[in-house]
Amino acid sequence: MLDTLAADLFTVQNLIALISLAALEIVLGIDNIVFIAIITSRLHRSQQGRMRRVGLVLAMLQRILLLFAIGWVVRLTEPLFSVLGHGVSGRDLILIGGGMFLIAKATFEIHGTIEGEHGQDHDSAKTKQISAAAVLVQITLLDVVFSLDSVITAVGMVNNLTIMVAAVIASVAVMVLFANPVSEFIVRHPTIKMLALSFLLLIGVVLTADGTGHHVEKGYIYFAMGFSILVEVLNFRLRSKVKSSSALH
């Protein structure tokens, strides 16, 4: 059986499809990494790395399960009822629920970050932590939304289940490798963290809009976020240069 799977996978056409799909899965997983980085930042430092890995492994398992239940996923796109002439499907309901949750979560986190920095109870706000169970529940709920989007994209690109599963595993392996450095960088730099929260807020709006029938290409969102990060990196370099010059004088 393994020989059959290997022969099915290792052809030029299938390898190109695998690499392309894995790359796309990594791009689609950026919002997942950002969310996990933000939500795990309130855990005790000794738990953060482990919970990030658990969150990504959960995402992988959910995507693989959805791939094997592809018939059910396809039926989720069928309208259940209509609102103002727009057919609302199960997928739409999941996207709307996930989008509204992201909007609320990002808003509360932005509020908490600002109040923590400028409010009177700075120390207590900064050290406020939540339980690992609460973090796991939130990660699992959002993983469902991100996984559904990822699986529907995979089905649209490839019709080979082996390739889809292999691409999901490969993409999650890469994300696990970079999750801790990316998360530490986000948490360590307040302005980057605010950009990341704004990114989650924007993704929440896009998911909600998509669920109501107003599709927005995520490429525009990723480009805007990438441009913002590039500007912030330049500002970071400039601030470092100014500090170095001040120290010399």
Side-chain angles (χ1 to χ4, degrees):
M1 183 177 179
L2 290 176
D3 292 339
T4 304
L5 288 176
D8 186 43
L9 182 61
F10 293 113
T11 65
V12 174
Q13 184 178 357
N14 285 347
L15 283 175
I16 292 174
L18 173 60
I19 293 170
S20 301
L21 184 56
L24 183 60
E25 290 289 332
I26 292 171
V27 172
L28 290 175
I30 291 174
D31 41 14
N32 209 345
I33 290 179
V34 172
F35 176 77
I36 290 174
I38 297 297
I39 193 64
T40 55
S41 65
R42 289 189 177 275
L43 288 170
H44 190 274
R45 190 169 183 82
S46 62
Q47 296 178 302
Q48 292 177 10
R50 182 183 60 186
M51 194 56 63
R52 288 169 195 146
R53 291 190 293 272
V54 169
L56 289 171
V57 170
L58 277 175
M60 180 186 71
L61 293 176
Q62 286 180 344
R63 291 180 189 188
I64 292 174
L65 287 174
L66 286 174
L67 285 172
F68 281 103
I70 200 66
W72 176 76
V73 172
V74 170
R75 286 197 297 273
L76 280 177
T77 60
E78 299 175 359
L80 299 174
F81 56 88
S82 294
V83 176
L84 300 177
H86 170 65
V88 180
S89 65
R91 172 183 177 272
D92 294 333
L93 294 176
I94 293 174
L95 290 180
I96 292 171
M100 293 180 69
F101 176 79
L102 263 185
I103 292 171
K105 185 63 181 177
T107 301
F108 286 133
E109 287 290 336
I110 290 172
H111 178 268
T113 300
I114 294 174
E115 289 298 310
E117 291 178 355
H118 303 294
Q120 293 181 348
D121 297 325
H122 172 70
D123 292 334
S124 60
K126 187 175 180 181
T127 57
K128 184 179 179 181
Q129 296 177 353
I130 57 179
S131 69
V135 168
L136 194 59
V137 169
Q138 294 182 56
I139 289 175
T140 302
L141 291 176
L142 258 295
D143 276 348
V144 172
V145 180
F146 293 138
S147 296
L148 185 64
D149 192 26
S150 169
V151 167
I152 291 175
T153 301
V155 172
M157 283 187 63
V158 181
N159 59 5
N160 187 308
L161 183 60
T162 304
I163 292 176
M164 289 189 283
V165 171
V168 167
I169 294 174
S171 63
V172 171
V174 172
M175 287 190 284
V176 167
L177 186 63
F178 289 99
N180 280 345
V182 170
S183 300
E184 292 293 336
F185 183 77
I186 290 174
V187 173
R188 193 165 57 245
H189 299 88
T191 52
I192 296 295
K193 182 179 180 181
M194 191 60 67
L195 279 176
L197 288 170
S198 302
F199 175 60
L200 288 180
L201 186 62
L202 197 55
I203 289 294
V205 172
V206 169
L207 289 175
T208 305
D210 198 358
T212 56
H214 300 86
H215 181 67
V216 180
E217 290 293 337
K218 277 193 174 182
Y220 297 120
I221 309 302
Y222 292 137
F223 175 80
M225 190 63 189
F227 181 78
S228 300
I229 291 175
L230 176 61
V231 172
E232 181 55 34
V233 168
L234 293 175
N235 284 332
F236 180 76
R237 292 288 299 275
L238 180 61
R239 287 194 296 268
S240 299
K241 188 175 181 180
V242 170
K243 285 182 181 179
S244 299
S245 300
S246 299
L248 291 175
H249 293 86

